[in-house]
Amino acid sequence: MQSDECEDYLESIINKSISDKKGSSLDILSKIIGKTQSEIKEDLLELETLGYIIFEDDDKIALTEKGRKTGECTIKKHRVLESFLTEMLGMEPDAASKEACILEHGASDDTIKRLKTYLGGPGRCRRGRAMQEGHFQRSGCMGIPLTSFAENETVRILYTKGKAGCTNRLHDLGVIPGETIEIKRRLSNGAMVVVIKSCEVGLSPEIADSVFVWKI
Amino acid sequence: MLFLKFGLIGNPNVGKSLIFNLLTGIGVEISNFPGTTIDMFSGNVCYQREKFEIVDFPGIYSLDGVSEEESEVRKCLINKDVDILIAVLDAAHLERNLYLLLQIAEFEIPTVVLLNMTDEAEKSGLFIDAEKLSEIFNCEFLKTAAIEGRNVDKIIPLALNDAKVPKYKVPYDSHIEAAVRSLQKISGCKRIEALYALEEIGDDTELLDSAKTIAEEIEEQHKMSVHQIIAANRHNIAGKISDEVSKKDKKTTSANLDRLLTRTFPGVPIMAAVLLSTLLCVFIVGSFLEETIVGLFDVYLIEPLFTLGLSPFWEQILYSLLIAVEAGLGIAFPFVFVFYIIISVLEDTGYMTRAAFLADRAMHRVGMHGQALIPMVLGFGCNVPALMSIRQLSKRERFIASFLITMVPCSARTVIIAGIVAVFVGITAALSIYLIVFILIFLTGLVLTKVAPGEQFGMILEIVPMRRPRVKQTLKRAWLHMKEFLFIAMPLLLVSSVFLGVLQYTGVIQAFQDIFAPLMLSLLGLPDYASTSLLFGILRKEMAFETLAILAGTADLGSVMTSAQLYIFAVVSVLFVPCVSTIAVLYKEMGLKIAAVISFYTLCLGIIAGIILNLIFSLV
């Protein structure tokens, strides 16, 4: 078995809390891996011989120390890559997750470590908004405030900053990272009417200023 | 059978109120829902000889928001204050509306869903598969078009017989799901409680504490707030479902008036013209109705009262009552009603949101947002409905707006300015009073932005699609507002008027006049009867003018008072304490403290302005 496939198995066993090789568990695994149930059963036996898992009482699956470590490491890589893809590159969360699934096997531990540092150091504050801004600025990958765009431009949201009271309303209306918005009207002071999720929303300048976007 | 309670829930502008009106007819009462601070409409509906109650929740975008409406509705759902939910979705904006439905589903209350505005959606070539939606959510979806009345009669039977707990569960981000599971394990709470605890919502401090630690970790990992993650998950699902069930036929690009309406030019001039013509229309039609009604009152009720030969006490009481009814029906009613009809048209067409968008910049200076434009404009007609319409604003804005609206010269004050100053002193002088008032409003706003509690959020305002207003709907909406006025403001007016009547009978007012007359003379340079008429001005603003004429013994005020005195009198009475009904509404909407502070503030403002003017005039 290829090592990526082996990692995929371990990742899924942890993520989906799989503890036996009964029908439902095999079902889940066969969906993720894309193999038939009998093939999965064979693979699981191979994993045992490789020392990643142990079968207890014949049906129960337990991870060995080695298996747990490998699986968790893969999950960590997946998360780092996923957040890089969504936050830095503005990918859709679903697509990012799929992409991360492929990349996680090839990326070295060092690359992941560096990516993680790049994504933001320690000492971030709670409620994350101020931190997001600082984090984007540090990484030199700062979005551009919505107010700097002109009418009829379409942009993709990177992040929003500001107090919970107003960002919550923005989130509820669909202003979340990855969404696209179209600027329908822009007044000289920066107030705008934008189209989001096919609804028109009027934003005052300070709100529009707190939405950071990328042009697509 | 149990007395069932239905709750109408949905986004703002989805036609919820219209459905509510259609279901309940006119038997609507406005009630404070138990334990809430915001007003919710509740009404009764009869079906197969059973009576049911329907509550119209305020329009909300989300159930985990921080606004007052959102938290109140959330509380009602958590406490299961209603038995069956009727969720109203806007078919034309399905995705955004599904976002709320996904949240509603989490409360596990039997629900039926209305896909309203199907007519509008279908006109734009959007077709929605209601059956597929029913399958996905495992509850009934009904296509309605409330404006046409389509399927409205099926709502109650469906809600009674087929309401089911929606089964859809949003699969949240794995970290959120894990956190929810472990919180449930720790405290034995429900899934939704755990979820809200992560967003710092709830009462269980222990649960909130443990949730906070987990939430911090999640936020650290995602570099997003929990609310943002959850919102993103829900939007994703909503988007997916919406794509799955809707079929878009053609893309129609209708000619859009917004090209004109939301631009600074010609948007602002159009807005000014609309507002100005609204005011003029209200003033002209209103004063015509006012004269008619007041005239009828005087001839058929007030004059006969004095011929009855009642004891002085009862005569005074009855007179006060009649005066109050006259003030309510004769003054407020005509202006308020005409105003509401026009405002309802502006609201129904969707113009108001556009005006609010444009006015945002100007309103900002005085610490409010574009949304506050509507109440401020209403204030020119009558302060009472204006103050009633500030509920939709944030707490901070309500605080500021309650001060500023009380100072807006309403139609009754315009009568004083026009009747006293314009006639006896001159038009320019009359206009200068407006200028003084506007400057004071502006300055008050500037000061209040500094001292008002709470933080100022920017404006996030949904611009509703332009629609052609329907006469019936508009009248209904206006009537609904009116009823609120009649049933809330009128009783208050009656009580306070009788109270003033008793005071007058017992001689308190005379005593008041005796004490304050010397003060009036020395500080404001006004004759003693002016203080009495100012006091009457509290009851009904333009009565200050009428009583002044009565007490002066002549309608030709120019012959008994100097121009300076008239000018000062007008300024003082325009600024001086709002009328009883305004105070009563202030008390109801904002509480005793703020009502007292505002009354005191305007009292001081009026007197100080009078003193300063008196000083200036005596120097010149």
Side-chain angles (χ1 to χ4, degrees):
Chain A
M1 179 176 6
Q2 297 276 319
S3 74
D4 354 347
E5 205 169 54
C6 167
E7 283 170 3
D8 276 340
Y9 270 112
L10 295 169
E11 191 181 351
S12 324
I13 288 172
I14 297 176
N15 269 345
K16 304 286 169 196
S17 347
I18 284 174
S19 57
D20 54 47
K21 51 173 183 176
K22 291 202 187 95
S24 62
S25 304
L26 291 177
D27 213 37
I28 296 170
L29 285 175
S30 83
K31 262 192 198 132
I32 297 172
I33 311 284
K35 284 188 175 177
T36 64
Q37 298 209 358
S38 55
E39 284 173 315
I40 300 274
K41 268 189 184 163
E42 276 172 35
D43 285 347
L44 285 175
L45 287 174
E46 199 181 331
L47 281 178
E48 192 186 19
T49 49
L50 288 168
Y52 289 117
I53 55 173
I54 301 171
F55 289 114
E56 292 166 348
D57 312 331
D58 233 33
D59 262 354
K60 293 249 183 301
I61 295 176
L63 285 161
T64 62
E65 185 64 28
K66 181 178 159 198
R68 178 164 298 283
K69 254 195 183 150
T70 317
E72 276 173 357
C73 185
T74 316
I75 291 171
K76 194 180 106 190
K77 282 179 179 175
H78 182 100
R79 277 182 198 154
V80 171
L81 285 164
E82 196 182 55
S83 78
F84 176 74
L85 293 172
T86 49
E87 290 173 23
M88 292 297 159
L89 308 185
M91 258 171 124
E92 300 280 351
D94 282 356
S97 181
K98 277 189 196 128
E99 193 73 15
C101 256
I102 300 164
L103 294 173
E104 67 197 11
H105 308 298
S108 71
D109 290 351
D110 190 46
T111 308
I112 294 297
K113 212 173 115 195
R114 281 167 194 274
L115 251 187
K116 205 178 172 213
T117 341
Y118 176 69
L119 282 171
R124 299 186 213 94
C125 56
R126 163 115 173 116
R127 280 282 150 230
R129 287 146 256 254
M131 122 203 146
Q132 272 184 29
E133 181 198 8
H135 141 83
F136 275 97
Q137 277 168 354
R138 253 200 319 281
S139 58
C141 186
M142 191 168 59
I144 305 161
L146 189 59
T147 40
S148 3
F149 289 86
E151 275 173 27
N152 297 323
E153 283 192 284
T154 304
V155 293
R156 192 185 292 282
I157 300 160
L158 262 186
Y159 61 97
T160 51
K161 62 164 189 172
K163 295 266 167 2
C166 62
T167 46
N168 278 14
R169 171 59 56 82
L170 280 177
H171 302 159
D172 291 333
L173 288 175
V175 181
I176 44 173
E179 280 293 333
T180 52
I181 35 182
E182 185 197 330
I183 298 169
K184 198 150 176 223
R185 176 78 61 243
R186 183 187 185 285
L187 301 186
S188 59
N189 66 336
M192 19 182 74
V193 176
V194 297
V195 181
I196 178 122
K197 300 217 172 259
S198 75
C199 302
E200 288 181 21
V201 179
L203 303 174
S204 59
E206 70 271 31
I207 296 286
D209 244 340
S210 70
V211 179
F212 287 77
V213 295
W214 260 14
K215 194 174 162 69
I216 32 175
Chain B
M1 195 171 150
L2 285 168
F3 189 65
L4 278 177
K5 239 183 191 178
F6 298 111
L8 268 175
I9 190 168
N11 277 189
N13 305 311
V14 292
K16 225 158 41 68
S17 316
L18 181 60
I19 291 179
F20 178 72
N21 284 346
L22 290 173
L23 290 179
T24 55
I26 30 176
V28 179
E29 46 192 279
I30 302 111
S31 59
N32 261 333
F33 213 64
T36 64
T37 51
I38 48 170
D39 285 315
M40 298 190 190
F41 289 100
S42 94
N44 292 324
V45 58
C46 275
Y47 176 72
Q48 293 186 342
R49 296 191 184 178
E50 292 285 347
K51 206 168 97 177
F52 305 99
E53 191 182 346
I54 300 190
V55 181
D56 186 15
F57 290 125
I60 48 169
Y61 290 109
S62 158
L63 282 162
D64 56 5
V66 284
S67 81
E68 213 172 316
E69 287 83 17
E70 286 164 343
S71 24
E72 294 295 353
V73 177
R74 179 171 61 234
K75 252 184 243 161
C76 288
L77 296 196
I78 288 177
N79 299 338
K80 303 242 150 83
D81 283 337
V82 289
D83 304 292
I84 292 167
L85 280 176
I86 302 174
V88 186
L89 309 191
D90 173 1
H93 299 111
L94 186 65
E95 186 178 346
R96 232 263 316 284
N97 283 262
L98 281 176
Y99 177 78
L100 180 67
L101 186 64
L102 287 171
Q103 298 189 46
I104 294 172
E106 285 168 345
F107 285 88
E108 298 181 334
I109 296 175
T111 305
V112 289
V113 187
L114 309 182
L115 281 170
N116 196 27
M117 303 196 178
T118 319
D119 51 334
E120 213 169 278
E122 285 174 1
K123 223 179 273 167
S124 69
L126 182 69
F127 292 90
I128 292 167
D129 188 344
E131 274 166 31
K132 209 167 191 178
L133 274 170
S134 297
E135 256 169 57
I136 294 173
F137 281 92
N138 189 39
C139 67
E140 293 298 322
F141 277 68
L142 178 69
K143 281 189 178 183
T144 57
I147 287 188
E148 295 171 1
R150 200 199 300 172
N151 278 347
V152 171
D153 53 327
K154 292 187 189 157
I155 297 174
I156 293 297
L158 190 73
L160 268 179
N161 303 321
D162 295 311
K164 278 180 239 145
V165 175
K167 280 280 156 26
Y168 200 87
K169 252 192 205 164
V170 178
Y172 290 109
D173 172 273
S174 56
H175 298 114
I176 301 276
E177 288 287 355
V180 166
R181 268 199 304 275
S182 61
L183 283 177
Q184 275 182 287
K185 227 176 260 170
I186 298 170
S187 70
C189 63
K190 284 190 201 140
R191 175 181 159 90
I192 185 163
E193 286 167 331
L195 197 62
Y196 278 171
L198 284 174
E199 298 183 68
E200 298 179 76
I201 296 170
D203 310 314
D204 187 345
T205 42
E206 226 170 283
L207 177 65
L208 283 178
D209 273 349
S210 26
K212 196 173 172 184
T213 335
I214 303 178
E216 271 168 21
E217 212 167 287
I218 295 176
E219 291 182 352
E220 164 97 2
Q221 229 161 18
H222 284 253
K223 289 164 202 74
M224 282 194 205
S225 71
V226 169
H227 183 269
Q228 203 171 0
I229 302 169
I230 292 180
N233 293 151
R234 285 177 184 149
H235 276 303
N236 255 336
I237 296 293
K240 256 183 216 155
I241 297 178
S242 147
D243 288 345
E244 216 173 297
V245 299
S246 36
K247 209 174 78 203
K248 187 103 180 138
D249 253 8
K250 50 183 187 248
K251 203 171 164 127
T252 44
T253 39
S254 53
N256 206 336
L257 272 173
D258 278 343
R259 233 175 276 258
L260 303 174
L261 295 181
T262 53
R263 259 189 219 298
T264 317
F265 187 85
V268 173
I270 290 178
M271 174 170 71
V274 168
L275 296 184
L276 207 67
S277 47
T278 304
L279 285 178
L280 280 177
C281 182
V282 167
F283 200 67
I284 293 166
V285 180
S287 42
F288 169 73
L289 286 174
E290 178 201 341
E291 267 168 42
T292 319
I293 297 177
V294 169
L296 289 174
F297 249 87
D298 282 343
V299 175
Y300 292 104
L301 281 171
I302 295 185
E303 279 167 21
L305 173 74
F306 289 105
T307 60
L308 284 178
L310 293 166
S311 69
F313 176 76
W314 284 111
E315 195 175 86
Q316 184 62 48
I317 297 290
L318 279 177
Y319 177 67
S320 314
L321 263 178
L322 283 180
I323 282 285
V325 174
E326 187 189 45
L329 291 183
I331 312 288
F333 187 84
F335 288 107
V336 171
F337 193 61
V338 176
F339 217 106
Y340 269 137
I341 289 185
I342 299 179
I343 291 295
S344 300
V345 171
L346 292 180
E347 278 180 349
D348 281 346
T349 50
Y351 178 72
M352 261 316 189
T353 54
R354 285 154 180 86
F357 171 71
L358 279 181
D360 185 55
R361 195 198 313 212
M363 301 298 291
H364 220 96
R365 298 270 160 82
V366 290
M368 293 189 290
H369 293 298
Q371 291 104 309
L373 174 76
I374 303 164
M376 291 293 278
V377 172
L378 278 174
F380 280 96
C382 176
N383 289 174
V384 173
L387 286 167
M388 284 176 170
S389 62
I390 59 173
R391 272 176 223 146
Q392 47 186 330
L393 306 179
S394 75
K395 215 169 187 169
R396 176 189 152 92
E397 285 180 276
R398 271 215 306 274
F399 177 78
I400 298 176
S402 59
F403 274 85
L404 302 192
I405 288 172
T406 316
M407 293 170 69
V408 169
C410 62
S411 49
R413 281 178 255 191
T414 310
V415 171
I416 301 181
I417 299 175
I420 298 182
V421 182
V423 173
F424 297 108
V425 186
I427 294 283
T428 345
L431 291 179
S432 72
I433 293 184
Y434 277 106
L435 194 67
I436 292 177
V437 173
F438 289 146
I439 290 173
L440 284 173
I441 290 179
F442 184 71
L443 291 177
T444 309
L446 282 187
V447 174
L448 286 175
T449 47
K450 300 279 183 320
V451 299
E455 280 169 271
Q456 181 163 11
F457 298 134
M459 172 188 64
I460 305 172
L461 177 70
E462 190 182 353
I463 311 276
V464 299
M466 289 292 252
R467 292 193 182 104
R468 189 193 304 266
R470 312 240 171 164
V471 179
K472 222 171 135 191
Q473 189 192 348
T474 306
L475 283 178
K476 258 188 180 151
R477 197 196 271 255
W479 174 239
L480 204 69
H481 283 302
M482 269 319 291
K483 239 185 323 205
E484 207 175 345
F485 173 79
L486 287 179
F487 294 126
I488 294 176
M490 279 296 275
L492 295 170
L493 186 63
L494 290 182
V495 171
S496 36
S497 176
V498 170
F499 181 68
L500 266 187
V502 172
L503 284 187
Q504 188 168 24
Y505 177 77
T506 50
V508 175
I509 289 185
Q510 188 59 43
F512 175 87
Q513 188 183 334
D514 291 343
I515 296 167
F516 287 98
L519 223 66
M520 291 293 263
L521 188 63
S522 58
L523 290 178
L524 304 175
L526 293 178
D528 57 355
Y529 51 81
S531 48
T532 315
S533 31
L534 279 179
L535 203 64
F536 271 101
I538 300 179
L539 182 58
R540 236 176 73 179
K541 271 293 171 184
E542 89 296 349
M543 264 184 73
F545 168 43
E546 287 158 14
T547 30
L548 188 69
I550 294 166
L551 293 172
T554 169
D556 183 17
L557 291 168
S559 64
V560 285
M561 285 167 82
T562 64
S563 298
Q565 279 179 322
L566 289 170
Y567 190 84
I568 292 173
F569 180 82
V571 170
V572 175
S573 56
V574 166
L575 290 171
F576 194 68
V577 194
C579 68
V580 195
S581 352
T582 309
I583 298 176
V585 173
L586 273 175
Y587 166 62
K588 179 156 183 303
E589 298 285 326
M590 306 295 297
L592 182 63
K593 205 172 129 201
I594 290 182
V597 169
I598 293 177
S599 305
F600 182 72
Y601 171 73
T602 47
L603 174 70
C604 294
L605 204 63
I607 292 184
I608 290 170
I611 293 172
I612 293 173
L613 284 173
N614 188 29
L615 276 177
I616 295 172
F617 288 144
S618 59
L619 286 177
V620 174

